[in-house]
């Protein structure tokens, strides 16, 4: 039987842009805060100290993923489903079990890391000397597990503004305490800074959780068993997926440290953090609102596929200028966020930018697996990605040094994107819309051209080409977004209306610069999808 996909609508695009604006605005504040935090760490502890931060962060993330059992993600799904049913009692029961489960798992994770702190210290640093700080890090695991449960409830109910406030306040408070710890204790303050930041996030998430008015519901042993089983069954797949993914990041850092140095691990950490900074604004918005929305329609394949195409289209348009800009001005970005002593992170940063551009394409498709609760597929996809990532890093770091670690990340997402596409094509009949193919091709040529310029052209010329590419991608993105979601003229300032009108009207652009012509989707079909492109099920 063949289904016809519903035509894309502007309300859907408005929702995507609204959530992106809320989470994106919060992320911009977080970036501003991270500038100060990164600068402080670069000045106070240097590249080797930043490498230490990366290793401790990997230990924390690995333990957190294992102990959390994926409850933060399965909890969002369970809460979103309960809220969609409009059964208040079901929401109350799910929220109560989610809170208790997160608390128990937090204790389990903290005890696990404390018990194996000596072994973890030996695996990570080659000595048991760091067993004490690793044991102290167990507190951060507990705090984060509990706050994840609270954030899952907030996200599942789609209280996006509250989620954004938690992120902003957590970043400001956590960074202030972290900088103080690093300033007074230098390297010895790294773990206390991570623990303090986690504690502050817990307090803030608790504050916003208590503002949600959910009536209490009777909880029988059967209710607890059923709800916790649902959380843990799906969550175990999320956990295993996150565990192997985080394990890959940990493994790459160990490969860099063993084959080069701890200082090189710090440069890798800097490149990784900067390369993902802008793109993660888009991806965080995607996870915050898109995941619950997609979960609600996961069984309706045409609608599900349309939402993924729309999300991917907007995400590409929002991410492209930042990717090209970071790639072009990598030396300035590294010096601004860290220090000139981190100049070795410039080339790796450019490779991270390429990988992040592909991640923006792959992630919307991956959410189909999450929304449908495809546990086995999720796990095997991540295992395959981990094997490819570690294998590429092992080979490329030995061949190309530090840049090889980020080349491996780029290669990973070529493989991962193709694999996920093949899976979701079979699972739901998904395929890319014509608008996404056009946008993706244009941006791939633009990003590839700017990247290649730094290898074949003199640096000043390549930078000029990159600056032009940043401008072109920005204007292109604004023009297409303006066609997809026209600005409300009555609410926008006159200057903004005139500027966007100039950008979004093809005749205006063509008249001023005949060479500057793009083919945006027509207003009749907002994402360029035609009935003949609808997949047959």
């Amino acid at each position: 039987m063949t289904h016809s996909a519903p035509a894309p609508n502007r309300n859907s695009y408005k929702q995507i842009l609204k959530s992106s604006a809320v989470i994106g605005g919060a992320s911009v504040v977080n970036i501003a805060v991270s500038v100060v935090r990164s600068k402080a760490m670069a000045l106070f502890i240097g590249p080797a100290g930043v490498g230490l931060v990366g290793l401790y962060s990997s230990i924390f993330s690995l333990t957190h993923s294992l102990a959390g059992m994926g409850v933060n993600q399965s909890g969002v799904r369970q809460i979103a489903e309960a809220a969609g049913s409009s059964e208040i009692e079901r929401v109350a029961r799910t929220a109560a079990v989610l809170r208790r489960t997160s608390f128990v798992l937090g204790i389990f994770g903290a005890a696990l890391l404390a018990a194996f702190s000596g072994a973890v210290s030996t695996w990570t640093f080659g000595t048991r000397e760091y067993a004490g700080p690793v044991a102290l890090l167990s507190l951060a695991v507990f705090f984060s597990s509990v706050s994840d449960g609270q954030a899952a409830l907030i996200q599942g109910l789609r209280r996006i503004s509250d989620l954004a406030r938690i992120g902003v306040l957590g970043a400001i408070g956590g960074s202030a305490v972290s900088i103080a710890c690093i300033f007074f204790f230098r390297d010895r303050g790294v773990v206390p800074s991570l623990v303090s930041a986690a504690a502050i996030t817990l307090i803030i998430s608790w504050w916003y959780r208590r503002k949600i008015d959910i009536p209490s519901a009777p909880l029988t042993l059967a209710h607890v068993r059923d709800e916790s089983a649902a959380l843990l069954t799906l969550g175990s797949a999320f956990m295993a997926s996150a565990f192997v993914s985080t394990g890959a990041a940990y493994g790459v850092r160990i490969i860099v440290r063993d084959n080069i140095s701890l200082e090189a691990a710090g440069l890798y950490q800097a490149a990784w953090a900067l390369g993902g900074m802008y793109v993660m604004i888009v991806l965080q918005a995607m996870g915050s609102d898109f995941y619950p929305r997609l979960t609600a329609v996961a069984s309706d394949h045409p609608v599900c596929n349309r939402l993924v195409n729309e999300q991917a289209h907007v995400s590409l348009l929002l991410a492209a200028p930042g990717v090209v800009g970071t790639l072009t001005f990598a030396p300035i970005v590294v010096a601004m966020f860290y220090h000139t002593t981190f100049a070795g992170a410039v080339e790796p940063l450019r490779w991270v930018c390429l990988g992040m551009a592909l991640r923006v394409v792959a992630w919307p498709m991956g959410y189909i697996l999450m929304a449908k609760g495809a546990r086995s597929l999720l796990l095997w996809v991540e295992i395959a990605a981990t094997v490819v990532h570690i294998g590429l890093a092992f080979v490329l770091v030995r061949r190309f040094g530090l840049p090889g670690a980020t080349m491996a990340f780029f290669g990973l997402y070529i493989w991962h994107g193709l694999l996920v596409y093949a899976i979701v094509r079979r699972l739901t009949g998904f395929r890319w819309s014509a608008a996404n193919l056009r946008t993706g091709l244009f941006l791939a040529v633009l990003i590839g051209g700017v990247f290649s310029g730094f290898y074949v052209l003199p640096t000043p010329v390549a930078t000029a080409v990159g600056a032009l590419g940043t401008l072109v991608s920005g204007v292109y993105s604004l023009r297409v977004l303006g066609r997809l979601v026209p600005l409300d003229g009555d609410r926008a300032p006159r200057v903004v209306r005139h500027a966007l009108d100039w950008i979004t009207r093809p005749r205006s652009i063509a008249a001023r610069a005949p060479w500057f012509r793009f083919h945006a989707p027509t207003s009749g079909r907002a994402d360029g999808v035609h009935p003949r492109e609808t997949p047959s099920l």
Side-chain angles (χ1 to χ4, degrees), residues 186-273:
R186 293 305 195 265
D187 287 358
R188 292 181 294 110
V190 170
V191 171
S193 73
L194 295 174
V195 173
S196 301
I200 288 173
T201 301
L202 171 61
I203 294 170
I204 295 170
S205 65
W206 169 81
W207 176 262
Y208 281 98
R209 159 65 182 86
R210 67 188 291 274
K211 293 170 64 176
I212 301 175
D213 184 19
I214 299 179
S216 59
L219 269 180
T220 65
L221 186 59
H223 287 150
V224 174
R225 183 190 65 234
D226 293 343
E227 290 290 347
S228 59
L231 284 171
L232 295 174
T233 300
L234 178 59
S236 61
F238 287 138
M239 177 275 293
S241 173
F243 182 76
V244 295
S245 176
T246 307
Y250 174 73
V252 172
R253 284 171 172 80
I254 296 300
I255 289 172
V256 172
R257 189 210 65 187
D258 287 348
N259 285 275
I260 309 176
S261 66
L262 182 60
E263 182 175 336
L267 297 176
Y268 174 79
Q269 173 69 18
W272 176 261

Side-chain angles (χ1 to χ4, degrees), residues 269-283:
Q269 173 69 18
W272 176 261
L274 294 176
M277 189 171 291
Y278 179 84
V279 169
M280 288 309 295
I281 295 177
V282 178
L283 298 181

Side-chain angles (χ1 to χ4, degrees), residues 429-478:
F430 175 82
R431 69 186 199 183
W432 291 115
S433 67
N436 271 323
L437 292 174
R438 286 195 301 270
T439 298
L441 178 61
F442 171 73
L443 294 177
V445 172
L446 182 64
I447 294 172
V450 171
F451 176 84
S452 301
F454 286 95
Y455 288 91
V456 300
L457 298 173
T459 300
V461 177
T463 302
V465 170
L468 178 61
T470 304
L471 176 63
V472 169
S473 64
V475 172
Y476 175 80
S477 295
L478 283 174

Side-chain angles (χ1 to χ4, degrees), residues 475 478-479 482 486-509 512:
V475 172
L478 283 174
R479 178 184 166 189
L487 190 67
D488 187 341
D490 295 333
R491 297 182 181 179
R494 179 179 299 179
V495 174
V496 174
R497 291 203 309 270
H498 287 174
L500 289 178
D501 181 67
W502 190 89
I503 291 173
T504 57
R505 288 182 184 275
R507 292 179 182 176
S508 298
I509 298 175
R512 291 162 175 77

Side-chain angles (χ1 to χ4, degrees), residues 8-10 13 310 313 435 483-484 521-529:
N9 59 79
R10 298 189 188 281
Y13 280 110
E310 291 171 351
H313 197 192
R483 296 288 297 272
L484 293 175
T522 61
S523 58
R525 295 299 299 260
D527 74 344
V529 175

Side-chain angles (χ1 to χ4, degrees), residues 366-417:
Y367 275 107
I368 293 178
L369 304 181
M370 295 174 64
K372 294 184 75 66
R375 298 189 298 272
S376 297
L377 283 174
L378 273 171
L379 177 58
W380 285 110
V381 164
E382 288 301 334
I383 289 175
T386 297
V387 171
V388 170
H389 196 184
I390 293 292
L392 285 174
F394 185 79
V395 173
L396 295 176
V397 167
R398 293 186 169 198
R399 175 67 178 82
F400 298 102
L402 180 58
T406 48
M407 291 177 189
F409 175 68
F410 173 58
L412 162 67
Y413 267 96
I414 294 176
W415 153 263
H416 186 67

